[in-house]
Amino acid sequence: MKHTNCLFTILFVFFVTYQCKTTQNTTNSSSLPSSLSLQLKLSAIPKDLVGEPISFSLQFFLCQDPTSKNCYIPILENRYELGKIKSNVASLKQNQTLPNHWTHLAIRVTGIEKVHGKFSPGHNPYWYSPDDILKLGGNLTKEFRFVSQENKIPNRIQEGIAKKFAPILVFHKDKKHLPSNIEKYSEFFTSQEYPLPEKDLRRKTKGQTTWNFVSFPEFLPTKNPTHLYYHVRYAETTVSGTQKEALPGFRDDANYWYEVGNGDMVVSYWIWYDWNEGPTKFGNIHQGDLESYALLISKDGKPKRILLTGHNHILLDTNFNNINSLNNHPILYVAKGNMGSDGGNPTSAYGGYTVKLNAGNFLFNYISDPWDVFPSFDAKESILVIPSDLSENDLMAVKIGPGTSNPKVKTDTIDQKGSHHSEIEGEQVNQTPTQFVDARRMVKQRIEKLVMWEEPGWVNQKAVEDPDGHHQVDKSVATFFQFQGRLGKHPRTVLKINELKQYGESPENAPFKTNIEQHYTFERPRSERNHSDREGNYGPKFLGDDSTPQK
């Protein structure tokens, strides 16, 4: 009887909730006007678009559930021609009949391909919900104002910041693939196409059926120096398609814009490996690997937060004082795999621990048992790749551990953002003993060169607003910077049973290759976050204070 009452209560609550939701949707629909009075405007139109035929596209979607099969097929679509552009402004007035039931309205400027990646009109498409239209009372005025996508931070400042926060990378002494450079492939850089998976959302949102990849020759030169790729931007950066009203899958990595905001900046780094050999010999092997981390720094150059990504997740997002650093250079650890594998190159701010990964299902977990095995900062067992400005004296006594004056256990709340982040409430982060290590004999090689990532649409073109007055890029990286697609001959995940191997996807090209979180982590800093896997997590191993960074 008790179970029957519980079941009845659950059904009643579900019925009431469903009724309320249905009633709310019906009320919203019946309250909406039958038509829209549109006033659409373009301003600050770039000279490149003079003479180009431009139009506005309006698409209405009925999409209660973004995973629905027919969700991305517009229920109503109209196009309004502006004609050929004659000046730096253009406008249109039009009445638009509204469908009876809809959930998303997208207004897109079309015909501006010539400036795609160079000038942004803002969110394109720009999204509205029925509630938005209700508030506007049927009169919709929208201005698309073009802004240059040039980076307003002078090169000398970008270079200084990038050099200041370049990493100290820690590897197991037998790590096979150390960070190298992509310039060695410049003469072999040719784009190829591959079919997108049937479930790929771009088939629905952008009509794409193929995507690009580049296959590199399988050779390792005798000399393979480490280059570090970087990009410094203002923290207030917005990417088109990230409106809260937008349907998933409409994000446009080539359409972004910068705002000075409070002056905070983000420096993003990409570390290139020729191969990813997976957390075990069984899986996720692919050509090419770009691992990234980023720092939020104040306008006066002081570090505030650090973000580390890997395995398509945010592995760690924490205060800079919660990690070890030497003269502002963060000490980062790169994992090996288990079962004798070289590893997938994920990067952590802590050493001497393991994380068991989820291979996708119980059988794969049983067969491959994938792990990330992070090295310790150990003079006998580990090697370093370090920035060029560190001297032997700097490495005589490297602080590893919190180094706090009053070590104690603190409670660290990790909040959840997206299904790929773990929610850990009240996790106990234990302070670990602090030690000082003589690292002089650990140095394997130095970072030979720092390469600034130019805005892809502006590579080797005449500047308009860039404070340096140019966008000159060495030809050995110019094509690479402009390439959109995957960097390696494995563009899709393929399981080969006869080889007992799974070939994973080669990485998407940077600087906008990571997930949405890469762009939003620093603009709106949150409380501590980390990713948990099958067993273990990448979260803080200690909580530091102002005495933790080693000056």
Side-chain angles (χ1 to χ4, degrees):
M1 184 67 180
K2 182 178 181 181
H3 294 295
T4 304
N5 289 338
C6 289
L7 179 61
F8 176 78
T9 303
I10 292 170
L11 290 173
F12 177 77
V13 170
F14 174 79
F15 177 77
V16 171
T17 303
Y18 177 80
Q19 286 292 98
C20 291
K21 188 174 181 180
T22 305
T23 303
Q24 184 179 7
N25 289 339
T26 304
T27 302
N28 286 342
S29 298
S30 62
S31 303
L32 287 171
S34 59
S35 65
L36 273 178
S37 175
L38 294 169
Q39 295 188 50
L40 304 177
K41 182 179 180 180
L42 298 181
S43 61
I45 302 173
K47 293 180 180 178
D48 310 53
L49 293 178
V50 173
E52 294 294 312
I54 292 181
S55 59
F56 291 103
S57 168
L58 272 70
Q59 292 182 316
F60 291 86
F61 299 87
L62 181 58
C63 190
Q64 300 285 5
D65 177 10
T67 63
S68 174
K69 184 177 180 180
N70 296 321
C71 181
Y72 292 85
I73 300 174
I75 58 173
L76 179 63
E77 183 172 5
N78 283 330
R79 181 183 296 271
Y80 300 113
E81 304 291 340
L82 266 176
K84 292 185 177 180
I85 297 301
K86 297 179 181 179
S87 68
N88 67 343
V89 294
S91 60
L92 170 81
K93 290 185 179 182
Q94 186 72 43
N95 287 327
Q96 167 70 53
T97 302
L98 291 174
N100 290 331
H101 301 284
W102 60 278
T103 57
H104 298 77
L105 164 60
I107 302 179
R108 185 195 301 269
V109 186
T110 62
I112 60 173
E113 290 76 17
K114 284 184 71 173
V115 298
H116 189 226
K118 291 180 63 179
F119 292 92
S120 170
H123 285 290
N124 190 34
Y126 195 89
W127 293 83
Y128 293 90
S129 69
D131 284 342
D132 295 329
I133 301 304
L134 201 59
K135 292 174 184 175
L136 293 170
N139 296 306
L140 192 158
T141 300
K142 170 60 185 169
E143 177 181 0
F144 291 88
R145 182 175 182 82
F146 287 90
V147 295
S148 170
Q149 293 178 219
E150 293 163 286
N151 197 332
K152 306 301 192 300
I153 301 174
N155 287 358
R156 61 177 178 80
I157 294 178
Q158 294 191 55
E159 291 164 359
I161 290 171
K163 186 177 181 180
K164 182 177 180 180
F165 297 106
I168 297 169
L169 297 172
V170 187
F171 299 88
H172 285 275
K173 64 182 181 181
D174 56 348
K175 187 79 167 68
K176 179 180 176 182
H177 294 289
L178 295 178
S180 62
N181 67 89
I182 200 167
E183 287 93 321
K184 62 180 176 285
Y185 297 124
S186 61
E187 295 180 7
F188 308 98
F189 208 98
T190 56
S191 178
Q192 302 177 53
E193 288 190 346
Y194 71 97
L196 286 173
E198 291 299 323
K199 293 182 179 180
D200 195 298
L201 204 53
R202 286 171 290 184
R203 286 181 172 267
K204 295 179 179 180
T205 61
K206 299 179 181 179
Q208 283 182 234
T209 57
T210 62
W211 191 228
N212 309 311
F213 75 102
V214 59
S215 180
F216 300 122
E218 292 186 31
F219 73 88
L220 292 177
T222 305
K223 293 183 178 180
N224 198 14
T226 297
H227 293 178
L228 184 66
Y229 305 91
Y230 70 89
H231 183 268
V232 182
R233 60 177 171 86
Y234 286 116
E236 289 293 331
T237 300
T238 307
V239 181
S240 179
T242 54
Q243 267 184 277
K244 60 181 176 60
E245 296 90 352
L247 282 173
F250 282 88
R251 179 165 172 251
D252 184 353
D253 290 342
N255 183 16
Y256 50 88
W257 57 98
Y258 303 119
E259 296 176 30
V260 176
N262 65 358
D264 281 359
M265 291 173 283
V266 170
V267 52
S268 297
Y269 294 93
W270 291 272
I271 305 163
W272 171 261
Y273 299 85
D274 293 313
W275 277 91
N276 175 318
E277 293 198 357
T280 68
K281 289 185 175 181
F282 176 80
N284 202 33
I285 301 163
H286 59 78
Q287 190 179 40
D289 201 19
L290 270 176
E291 298 297 339
S292 65
Y293 77 96
L295 291 171
L296 173 68
I297 60 175
S298 64
K299 62 182 179 181
D300 54 354
K302 295 180 179 178
K304 298 169 74 172
R305 294 187 71 80
I306 186 168
L307 171 105
L308 292 151
T309 64
H311 303 312
N312 294 322
H313 303 295
I314 290 178
L315 300 186
L316 178 71
D317 178 5
T318 194
N319 190 295
F320 190 78
N321 285 354
N322 288 339
I323 72 164
N324 285 127
S325 60
L326 175 60
N327 297 352
N328 289 302
H329 299 292
I331 299 173
L332 304 178
Y333 301 78
V334 180
K336 272 182 60 66
N338 68 322
M339 300 174 68
S341 67
D342 193 58
N345 308 316
T347 309
S348 172
Y350 309 96
Y353 75 104
T354 62
V355 175
K356 288 190 178 184
L357 309 177
N358 196 322
N361 58 55
F362 173 80
L363 179 61
F364 280 17
N365 285 340
Y366 178 78
I367 295 173
S368 62
D369 192 24
W371 293 17
D372 281 337
V373 182
F374 291 99
S376 298
F377 200 98
D378 185 287
K380 294 181 179 179
E381 298 298 322
S382 301
I383 57 175
L384 304 179
V385 175
I386 67 172
S388 59
D389 64 341
L390 287 178
S391 68
E392 283 206 353
N393 286 339
D394 294 324
L395 299 172
M396 286 180 64
V398 180
K399 182 197 296 182
I400 302 298
T404 51
S405 53
N406 296 303
K408 60 182 179 180
V409 175
K410 295 183 181 179
T411 299
D412 187 22
T413 302
I414 318 285
D415 79 13
Q416 184 177 13
K417 181 65 179 178
S419 59
H420 59 278
H421 296 147
S422 59
E423 184 173 4
I424 307 172
E425 295 184 358
E427 180 187 15
Q428 295 296 308
V429 180
N430 294 316
Q431 300 287 351
T432 56
T434 299
Q435 57 180 323
F436 290 86
V437 180
D438 185 343
R440 288 176 293 178
R441 294 187 178 181
M442 295 174 67
V443 178
K444 176 72 173 179
Q445 62 192 51
R446 293 176 182 264
I447 297 170
E448 184 177 284
K449 187 177 182 181
L450 271 70
V451 181
M452 183 177 69
W453 216 290
E454 179 59 86
E455 308 303 315
W458 284 100
V459 168
N460 289 335
Q461 296 202 32
K462 187 177 179 180
V464 174
E465 296 181 15
D466 186 274
D468 297 288
H470 68 86
H471 297 286
Q472 296 171 7
V473 174
D474 189 276
K475 64 179 182 180
S476 65
V477 290
T479 307
F480 168 47
F481 285 176
Q482 293 175 306
F483 176 71
Q484 294 186 51
R486 294 194 174 274
L487 298 170
K489 69 177 183 180
H490 300 108
R492 293 186 62 178
T493 298
V494 177
L495 177 62
K496 294 189 176 181
I497 298 295
N498 58 327
E499 298 181 24
L500 277 182
K501 287 184 179 179
Q502 178 173 292
Y503 291 90
E505 295 175 332
S506 293
E508 285 280 0
N509 196 10
F512 296 95
K513 69 107 180 174
T514 51
N515 54 33
I516 283 178
E517 296 292 351
Q518 177 80 1
H519 300 279
Y520 275 81
T521 295
F522 297 118
E523 295 88 316
R524 299 163 181 82
R526 305 187 187 93
S527 58
E528 302 301 301
R529 295 184 298 172
N530 72 69
H531 178 71
S532 292
D533 224 296
R534 182 162 56 109
E535 185 178 312
N537 65 75
Y538 302 87
K541 307 310 174 193
F542 59 78
L543 295 176
D545 59 21
D546 289 341
S547 65
T548 302
Q550 186 172 343
K551 305 301 182 186

